[in-house]
């Protein structure tokens, strides 16, 4: 019931995005997961479990972030399906991110793709969400029970420079179009440029940064 509630919220806020990603998501598993960094909130299976995502059971209590989790992992599934038809990366270098991870360039592209979609979802939460508060509760009402993380629309880790999704999206977009651009195929570079262009209208601060740079 909680999963269906979150899916309905996702469809109400971003109907086009929901239709797009649900075509790549066929099943959801609930699991307690850990990796070398500690407990995991969500995961997507990729080749080992195609069209399937995993969500920690406690993450179902907050419909706003449950919707984010579904969107986040389903967006990964969609991009995973797309890159099978055309290589997006020509050299798989490892890079260190300022929020403490070392990952491949292709994983940076996957992360950037998800963070841009999250920012569009966050804008929908801010602009359309209030009319849904009577049904789902206000996002801030779930803050006390939500662990802070960058993908959340309820509780970000504001104590850290890259504790918000928008800061990570800006960084990854700048690096993928700049210092790391030679590692991308022409199609991969075009995807990054399209994602940055999609993000710009909903990020007033990005426009301010661009004017200052000019």
């Amino acid at each position: 019931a909680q999963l269906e509630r979150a899916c309905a919220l996702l469809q109400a806020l971003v109907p086009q995005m929901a239709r797009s990603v649900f075509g790549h998501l066929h099943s959801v598993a609930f699991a307690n997961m850990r990796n070398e960094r500690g407990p995991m909130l969500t995961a997507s299976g990729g080749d080992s479990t195609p069209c399937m995502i995993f969500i920690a059971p406690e993450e179902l209590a907050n419909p706003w972030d449950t919707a984010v989790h579904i969107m986040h992992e389903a967006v990964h599934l969609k991009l995973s399906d797309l890159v099978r038809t055309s290589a997006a990366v020509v050299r798989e270098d490892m890079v260190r991110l300022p929020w403490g991870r070392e990952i491949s360039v292709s994983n940076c592209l996957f992360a950037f793709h998800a963070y841009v979609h999250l920012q569009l979802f966050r804008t929908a939460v801010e602009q359309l969400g209030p009319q849904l508060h009577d049904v789902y509760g206000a996002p801030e009402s779930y803050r006390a029970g939500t662990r802070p993380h960058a993908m959340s629309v309820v509780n970000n880790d504001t104590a850290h420079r890259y504790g918000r999704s928008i800061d990570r999206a800006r960084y990854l977009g700048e690096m993928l179009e700049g210092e790391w651009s030679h590692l991308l195929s022409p199609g991969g570079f075009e995807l990054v440029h399209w994602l940055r262009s999609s993000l710009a209208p909903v990020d007033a601060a990005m426009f301010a940064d661009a004017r200052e740079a000019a």
Side-chain angles (χ1 to χ4, degrees):
Q2 293 287 67
L3 179 66
E4 290 179 359
R5 190 167 179 243
C7 287
L9 176 57
L10 182 61
Q11 289 169 316
L13 289 170
V14 284
Q16 272 190 289
M17 189 189 301
R19 282 194 298 271
S20 177
V21 299
F22 282 165
H24 300 264
L25 172 61
H26 294 177
S27 58
V28 179
F30 309 118
N32 294 304
M33 303 165 288
R34 294 185 66 87
N35 62 13
E36 65 279 2
R37 297 189 305 275
M40 298 174 62
L41 305 181
T42 64
S44 52
D47 289 338
S48 57
T49 51
C51 303
M52 184 176 188
I53 68 172
F54 302 83
I55 299 177
E58 66 269 19
E59 292 302 309
L60 297 172
N62 169 356
W64 299 90
D65 277 1
T66 306
V68 167
H69 290 321
I70 295 166
M71 181 212 69
H72 165 206
E73 296 299 347
V75 160
H76 281 335
L77 293 178
K78 179 176 180 177
L79 187 57
S80 180
D81 287 342
L82 291 177
V83 298
R84 279 166 174 72
T85 63
S86 176
V89 173
V90 295
R91 207 176 79 199
E92 194 64 283
D93 286 16
M94 298 295 291
V95 296
R96 179 162 291 281
L97 303 178
W99 49 95
R101 296 186 63 189
E102 185 175 13
I103 62 175
S104 66
V105 171
S106 62
N107 280 340
C108 288
L109 183 60
F110 271 79
F112 179 55
H113 185 241
Y115 285 134
V116 170
H117 280 77
L118 172 60
Q119 194 60 27
L120 299 177
F121 180 81
R122 181 186 295 277
T123 301
V125 170
E126 293 170 355
Q127 296 185 359
L128 305 176
Q131 61 190 276
L132 301 172
H133 289 182
D134 288 345
V135 178
Y136 297 97
E140 56 268 21
S141 68
Y142 296 95
R143 184 170 294 130
T146 302
R147 282 181 284 174
H149 59 91
M151 292 300 295
S152 177
V153 296
V154 169
N155 193 11
N156 286 156
D157 187 2
T158 55
H160 293 88
R161 170 69 179 83
Y162 292 98
R164 301 183 306 160
S165 61
I166 185 58
D167 298 316
R168 297 186 181 192
R170 287 180 187 142
Y171 176 84
L172 289 170
E174 290 169 2
M175 296 298 287
L176 287 164
E177 268 201 318
E179 186 176 323
W180 303 338
S181 60
H182 66 287
L183 304 173
L184 303 176
S185 69
F189 186 84
E190 185 178 352
L191 172 63
V192 170
H193 181 73
W194 173 75
L195 287 168
R196 293 193 81 192
S197 300
S198 300
L199 179 63
V202 297
D203 185 6
M206 183 173 283
F207 283 130
D209 292 345
R211 285 196 296 269
E212 290 174 3

